[in-house]
Amino acid sequence: MFQFNYKLKVSERVKAKCNRHPRYNPERDGRGGIKGGCSTCFSLFDLHQARLSLDAAHREFLRRASPWTRVPRPRTKLQSVKQNGPQMQGTSL
Ligand SMILES: [Zn+2]
């Protein structure tokens, strides 16, 4: 039997702006709002697309994982709580 554990954790904070087109917003302006084929604005647009893909993948992961997800319940006896045990679980992204 194949068994595996996944632990999903994504936390990145990005603040990006084109110096030549500081008002360009890929979310609002889209690909059509890029002026003069600016490579930096294209990069911002690609970054936005990657973020959307990541969000979609995250939702898909949660949707598929939900039937298998184990919610850790608080134990009544503090003695039996084992945190930071020796077993490493899953793959963190
Ligand atoms: Zn630009």
Side-chain angles (χ1 to χ4, degrees):
M1 182 181 171
F2 179 60
Q3 187 177 5
F4 58 93
N5 294 307
Y6 281 127
K7 185 176 181 182
L8 181 66
K9 185 179 180 184
V10 177
S11 178
E12 295 291 338
R13 184 178 286 267
V14 174
K15 192 170 184 177
K17 188 174 75 172
C18 177
N19 285 329
R20 281 188 286 172
H21 311 98
R23 299 186 63 174
Y24 174 68
N25 180 338
E27 191 173 11
R28 189 184 61 222
D29 304 329
R31 184 183 278 268
I34 298 173
K35 293 173 183 168
C38 176
S39 60
T40 305
C41 288
F42 266 112
S43 294
L44 295 180
F45 180 77
D46 289 340
L47 177 64
H48 176 61
Q49 291 298 304
R51 195 258 147 89
L52 293 179
S53 299
L54 184 63
D55 282 350
H58 187 198
R59 282 194 300 272
E60 180 70 3
F61 180 89
L62 293 179
R63 189 177 72 81
R64 292 191 179 274
S66 60
W68 313 96
T69 302
R70 281 191 295 171
V71 179
R73 286 185 228 162
R75 301 196 181 174
T76 52
K77 293 179 183 178
L78 288 175
Q79 293 173 323
S80 59
V81 173
K82 289 179 182 174
Q83 291 180 332
N84 303 321
Q87 301 112 342
M88 296 295 288
Q89 290 189 353
T91 306
S92 56
L93 296 172

